[in-house]
Each structure stands twice: as structure tokens, then as C-alpha cells.
Amino acid sequence: MTSTERALRPTRPGRVAFGRLLGPAFVAAIAYVDPGNVAANLTAGARYGYLLLWVLVVANAMAVLVQYLSAKLSVVTGSTLPEVLRERLGRRARLAYWGQAELVAAATDLAEVIGGAVALKLLFGTPLLVGGVVVGAVSLGLLALQSRNGVRRFEFAVVALLAVIVVGFVTGVLFAPPDAGAAAAGLVPRFQGAETVLLAASMLGATVMPHAIYLHSAIARDHHGPVAAAERPRVLRATRVDVAAALVVAGLVNISMLLLAASALRGVDGTDTLEGAHAAVVANVGVGVGLLFAIGLLASGLASTSVGAYAGAVIMQGLLRTHVPLVVRRVVTLIPALLCLGLGVDPTRALVVSQVVLSFGIPFAIVPLVRLTGSRALMGADANGRTVSVLAVLAVVAVVTLNVALIVLTITD
């Protein structure tokens, strides 16, 4: 039995305790607190204070809906999103779709390895290239854990890292409390010039990451196993709780980053880079908070790069029915990040470019997801209702529009 087959083994049939139905969304939520999010949120808060706080609230609400639909698709059909798409695409279309999905997964992985390498440099002075190798080695260990023991222990390991991320980034707000009135005003949607539109596009567009959509459908399928029709309402109810709880946690982390930057880093130069933001945190909030920040960034890089590599395997297996061991994939996808670090490419610039590449893949994941989950032929009685369909379409329009804006503004900048 291959490692993937072990990971995809169904759980024991019968009624499972409600608490044991929870977990998959917390793994997918790692994508919402990766180093790219850290850079965008800190930059927004440091430059514009609380102005774009509303963007994070909207982004989180959209993410709840999208991630729930991803998990619902697999619970109802017993297949992942890539597998469902494979059945509906011809060979050429399937190969083209796989190509863009793999490119997006690789771009995501690039940002996450670089973010982890920067964290090691902040903590220990480790050269970036060496840090990238260390991040890759640790992520290999996490993926080996998944291969040997299936999805459950991998979930536990990733959730543990998520807890470290929460402590690392939320603690700072306690030492630099935000202005409650100004924060409340930041919940009112508005912009102040083209630069704020660009930041909002990167914050919102890069939040709904395509690899997280593909991966969540796989983890939910692997976690629950075959779901009998009688049990489906209960599993879907648990899925809603799981997604809401996981993304409330992720949203809390992202909002805490922006609040910390708005209250302590407003107007401070150099906060548009991870290293500059860390230096500003140390100077303005304290060494202890700076240490927690760096630890949170390291946990973010380690967890998100492992999840990204896992997502790439899910995409390949689902679309092409081709199995490549996760460890082999990890080694191959690590090469672009190490090349960037070895050649001295500016880490922050690499993060920005990776987010633009990521933006191209979002419509390819979210549009089919909304169409498939709204199909009664596929989903039966569990197809999206009118209200959910309207909200899903609005989310698609908002995400795609802002990602187009992100691409255009980046190219013409």
C-alpha cells in the first residue's frame, strides 16, 4: 500500500463523535496566515493605520464561504475538487489546468520558504540560503509524518504550528493596544488613493488562495472517509463549525497584525519588508514582542510550505491520476526558492511577485467550485441554495475584480 493510499483510507464507518469531525479547516487556514499575509497586513497598518481593517473582515467572510463549499463538495461527492474537474475536462484542457495549478502552488511555496528563511535569519542570524534549506528539511519531516501516519497526525502537527502563529502575532496587540475608535472607523469600506486599492487587492485577493481550496477538499475527504447519506447533514454541520472556527482564528491573527502595525508602526520607515517590520516592532514595542513575531513568522513559513507541498500532490493526483511521493515533490519544489535565496534575490520582492502569480490562479479554482456546488445534477439536495449562490457569485466577482486590479496596478507601477 502506497503512502497516498494509506492517507486516503476511509475512517471507520458508523457514528463518529462530533468533535472528531473537526480539523480539516484548521489545516487549510494555514494558507491565510502565511508570510505573504504577514507582509501585506503589516504594510497596510504601518502606512495607512486602520483604514483597510474592513478589507480583512470582508476577506475572512469570503474565505469562510469558499472553504465551506470546498469541503462540502468532497463530503457530498466523495471526490476532491481536482478529481471532479478531471472527469469534466478533456485531456488538453486537463493538462493546461494542471499546469496553471502547479504554477500557483510553486509560487505559493516560494513565498513560504523565503518567509521561513527570513525568520531564521531574524532569530539566529542564519544566512538566507541555509535558512531555506532548514525550512525545507523541517517541512520534509512534516510531510513524512503525513505519509507514514495518514492525515490525522499531520493535522495535529499543523494545528500545533497554528497555535504558535496565534501566540506569535496576537501577543503584540496586548503590548500596543489599538485605538478602539479608530479601529471601529476602519470597518467602514473606503480608500485613499490608488496605493490603498493596490494594498486592498493584495490583502483580499491573496487571502483566498487557490491551493487552499484544492487542499481543503482533499483533507475533508480523507478526514471523513465515505459519508453515508444519513450522516451527511451532521458532517456538513460539523464542517460549518470547523470552517467558521478555523477562519475566525486566522482572521484574528491577520487583524492583530494590522492593529499592531497601526498602533505601533504607523509612519515608521522600512516596514514594507519583513526584516524592516521586525526591526520596527523591536524598536517600538520591545525585544520580547519582536522575538514572538519572529517565532510566529517561522511557524508560519514551516506550516504553510508543508501545506503547499501537500496541495501540489493533491492537484497532480486528482487531475492526472499520477502519484509522486510527497517527499520527492518537496525536494523538487524547494529548488526555485533556494535558487532565489542563493542568487541574492530580494526576499520581499520575491514575495510580491509570488502573490501576483498566485492571483492568476484564483479564478480557476473559485469559479468552478461555485458552479459545481450549485449543480443539482452533481450535489443533489445539497446543491447551493439561492442565498448561498448569490453570496458565492458576489465573492467571485469581488475576488476576481480585485485580483485583476492587483495585476494591472503591479504591472503599471
Side-chain angles (χ1 to χ4, degrees), residues 11-228:
T11 56
R12 289 180 300 172
R15 193 172 182 82
V16 180
F18 191 85
R20 287 182 62 82
L21 297 175
L22 307 178
F26 283 86
V27 177
I30 287 294
Y32 297 89
V33 289
D34 77 345
N37 292 92
V38 177
N41 295 333
L42 290 177
T43 299
R47 289 185 183 177
Y48 300 102
Y50 305 97
L51 177 71
L52 299 178
L53 180 60
W54 66 273
V55 176
L56 293 179
V57 175
V58 171
N60 216 57
M62 289 182 178
V64 169
L65 176 60
V66 171
Q67 292 302 140
Y68 171 65
L69 294 182
S70 174
K72 183 172 81 166
L73 177 70
S74 66
V75 168
V76 174
T77 66
S79 300
T80 67
L81 176 57
E83 288 171 344
V84 175
L85 289 172
R86 181 190 66 215
E87 297 171 357
R88 286 160 171 73
L89 296 175
R91 184 176 181 277
R92 290 185 179 179
R94 187 166 63 248
L95 288 173
Y97 191 96
W98 168 74
Q100 65 79 29
E102 288 286 0
L103 179 62
V104 165
T108 304
D109 196 47
L110 176 73
E112 292 156 352
V113 172
I114 289 176
V118 170
L120 286 173
K121 182 179 180 181
L122 296 175
L123 287 167
F124 308 110
T126 308
L128 288 175
L129 179 58
V130 176
V133 173
V134 172
V135 170
V138 175
S139 65
L140 275 171
L142 288 172
L143 291 170
L145 178 69
Q146 188 275 341
S147 297
R148 288 195 303 269
N149 301 290
V151 72
R152 181 73 69 172
R153 291 192 182 181
F154 180 74
E155 287 179 11
F156 287 153
V158 171
V159 170
L161 287 172
L162 179 60
V164 174
I165 295 169
V166 172
V167 174
F169 289 121
V170 174
T171 305
V173 178
L174 302 178
F175 292 88
D179 182 324
L187 297 175
V188 179
R190 64 193 191 281
F191 297 105
Q192 286 182 0
E195 180 64 22
T196 61
V197 177
L198 177 61
L199 265 176
S202 63
M203 292 164 67
L204 176 60
T207 293
V208 187
M209 290 189 169
H211 77 284
I213 299 173
Y214 301 124
L215 180 64
H216 195 185
S217 67
I219 295 177
R221 190 273 306 275
D222 299 348
H223 184 99
H224 299 301
V227 179

Side-chain angles (χ1 to χ4, degrees), residues 2 36 60 101 158 164 198 208 252 293 297-298 325 369:
T2 67
N60 216 57
V158 171
V164 174
L198 177 61
V208 187
L252 176 65
F293 174 94
L297 179 61
L298 178 59
L369 176 67

Side-chain angles (χ1 to χ4, degrees), residues 254-271:
N254 283 313
I255 288 171
S256 295
M257 293 176 199
L258 187 145
L259 293 179
L260 173 63
S263 61
L265 309 181
R266 180 75 187 273
V268 177
D269 293 333
T271 53

Side-chain angles (χ1 to χ4, degrees), residues 259-339:
L259 293 179
L260 173 63
S263 61
L265 309 181
R266 180 75 187 273
V268 177
D269 293 333
T271 53
D272 53 349
T273 69
L274 291 175
E275 293 170 291
H278 174 262
V281 169
V282 171
N284 293 276
V285 187
V287 175
V289 176
L291 176 62
L292 291 173
F293 174 94
I295 292 173
L297 179 61
L298 178 59
S300 170
L302 292 173
S304 57
T305 192
S306 302
V307 167
Y310 191 3
V314 166
I315 292 166
M316 175 176 280
Q317 185 177 359
L319 286 169
L320 305 183
R321 288 182 175 171
T322 300
H323 168 68
V324 175
L326 280 173
V327 173
V328 174
R329 283 192 59 89
R330 168 71 285 185
V331 172
V332 172
T333 56
L334 191 60
I335 293 173
L338 295 182
L339 284 175

Side-chain angles (χ1 to χ4, degrees), residues 349-412:
R349 181 61 181 170
L351 279 171
V352 171
V353 172
S354 71
Q355 297 304 304
V356 175
V357 173
L358 185 68
S359 299
F360 282 100
I362 292 176
F364 291 97
I366 196 172
V367 172
L369 176 67
V370 170
R371 292 189 63 183
L372 290 170
T373 53
S375 169
R376 290 203 170 272
L378 178 66
M379 303 290 288
D382 294 302
N384 299 336
R386 184 182 298 272
T387 300
V388 172
S389 295
V390 171
L391 291 175
V393 170
L394 290 176
V396 168
V397 171
V399 170
V400 172
T401 299
L402 281 173
N403 274 277
V404 170
L406 171 62
I407 294 166
V408 171
L409 290 172
T410 301
I411 293 174
T412 57

